Amino acid sequence: MIAAAQAHEAFATRNDEYIDVFAALRRAGVEVMGQELSGLLGLYVDDTQGVPGCLVNTGLEEVSMRHTAAHELGHHRLRHGTSVDHQEQSPGRWGEGWPQHEKEAEAFASWFLMPSPAARTALARCGLQRPGSPLDAYRMARWLGTPYATTVRHLVRLKMIDRATETVWLKHSPAALKAELAGGLPLDRRAHLHLLTPAAHEATLHVASGDCLLLAVPTAAWDHLPPGLTGTPPDTTGQLVFEDLTADSLQTRAAWVTEDLTTSTVTATTGASELFRVYLRRTPCRHGSDRFWT
């Protein structure tokens, strides 16, 4: 926790919002590469042979890549030396047979991506005072850009839930929670569902291609969707097709992110002509050197 707080200060990183871990690695002087890796989450190479660097598995979804990057930053900041991180060290199997330096890097990653101020902001964006269900933890994770299981475990450290609650919530799969929130809307397996309540007004949301924005503002409907957003659901095998969706859910409340989105603003108007606005940033392709990510 202390090391993560010191890193935020060293890299001038705001700790009350979504944390850009890749920008922090650049400020730390760590070269970052993205490549598909079989059986590996990532690796860190120390500076004994020159410039320090890390490699992140682009076969992972964005939130897992972010967590892996924060883990590698932990190795760097804690001066652990070169380290190879295997799939067995995924957040779903925390600490089982891990050496001490891996536990330290994993704890660093959670505190770096989810410091208390950022967690409180995520709660506020969800319109919550405290997380009261696994669905709340899933929604918080979307604002924080973190894996569901990692988020649930960290809520214990933040004293927002107890150990008994953690045990119960970890039995819920992110896929099932996403499907429950989506209410039948089709989603790609790796896509996320972002439920936007009135508390999300004027917030910045980080999204990936395929993600769905579901408007949960009373009487509101999306205004004209900007380039990079579409009201047409993706073609997902085994899920609802276009004809099965109601006109309301399709045309006024749901929008899907496409590859064309970079940064944008999306607005909705309520029946009382009140404006609801969210700023969107699509995460870049992580392949190759971070100098060329777009």
Side-chain angles (χ1 to χ4, degrees):
M1 178 179 65
I2 294 171
Q6 290 172 338
H8 284 138
E9 183 176 0
F11 307 136
T13 303
R14 287 189 59 175
N15 69 348
D16 61 346
E17 59 185 8
Y18 177 99
I19 307 295
D20 189 344
V21 62
F22 293 103
L25 281 162
R26 287 194 297 273
R27 291 173 187 148
V30 179
E31 295 282 350
V32 183
M33 293 285 293
Q35 180 180 325
E36 288 201 32
L37 304 170
S38 177
L40 293 179
L41 295 170
L43 61 89
Y44 168 71
V45 179
D46 65 22
D47 58 3
T48 54
Q49 302 300 318
V51 177
C54 73
L55 184 61
V56 177
N57 184 357
T58 56
L60 305 171
E61 63 171 320
E62 174 69 15
V63 296
S64 296
M65 282 192 280
R66 280 172 43 78
H67 186 84
T68 298
H71 182 102
E72 309 310 338
L73 179 61
H75 284 311
H76 178 72
R77 290 290 296 181
L78 298 168
R79 308 188 71 81
H80 285 160
T82 296
S83 178
V84 179
D85 298 308
H86 298 275
Q87 291 279 15
E88 304 85 70
Q89 296 169 202
S90 65
R93 302 179 180 179
W94 204 100
E96 294 180 8
W98 297 10
Q100 184 62 25
H101 70 281
E102 293 296 348
K103 293 181 181 180
E104 292 174 357
E106 191 69 5
F108 175 95
S110 292
W111 280 111
F112 187 79
L113 293 176
M114 295 178 283
S116 182
R120 290 196 298 269
T121 296
L123 266 176
R125 294 305 186 201
C126 294
L128 301 170
Q129 295 294 321
R130 293 185 69 84
S133 72
L135 293 172
D136 294 342
Y138 177 88
R139 292 174 59 204
M140 287 183 67
R142 301 288 60 79
W143 287 102
L144 293 164
T146 51
Y148 170 74
T150 307
T151 305
V152 170
R153 289 193 173 94
H154 197 60
L155 290 176
V156 177
R157 304 185 191 105
L158 293 170
K159 303 188 186 310
M160 292 185 179
I161 63 173
D162 58 27
R163 290 288 182 188
T165 301
E166 173 198 27
T167 300
V168 173
W169 288 10
L170 286 176
K171 295 177 181 178
H172 294 259
S173 75
L177 296 171
K178 175 177 69 176
E180 184 175 346
L181 286 171
L185 291 170
L187 290 171
D188 183 81
R189 179 179 61 85
R190 294 180 58 159
H192 291 294
L193 189 286
H194 304 272
L195 188 69
L196 301 177
T197 67
H201 178 53
E202 294 288 354
T204 297
L205 180 64
H206 295 256
V207 296
S209 178
D211 285 3
C212 179
L213 311 179
L214 184 57
L215 192 60
V217 178
T219 73
W222 293 121
D223 296 328
H224 173 71
L225 294 177
L229 287 180
T230 178
T232 303
D235 181 12
T236 51
T237 304
Q239 297 191 44
L240 294 179
V241 294
F242 183 92
E243 292 79 10
D244 296 323
L245 297 171
T246 66
D248 174 68
S249 66
L250 178 66
Q251 297 176 5
T252 64
R253 297 181 58 235
W256 285 265
V257 179
T258 74
E259 291 285 353
D260 297 328
L261 182 74
T262 52
T263 60
S264 190
T265 303
V266 61
T267 61
T269 306
T270 70
S273 298
E274 295 176 345
L275 182 68
F276 173 82
R277 177 167 46 218
V278 173
Y279 305 100
L280 303 176
R281 294 189 62 182
R282 187 173 70 82
T283 55
C285 174
R286 303 288 184 193
H287 288 287
S289 169
D290 66 347
R291 300 180 186 185
F292 303 99
W293 291 349
T294 57

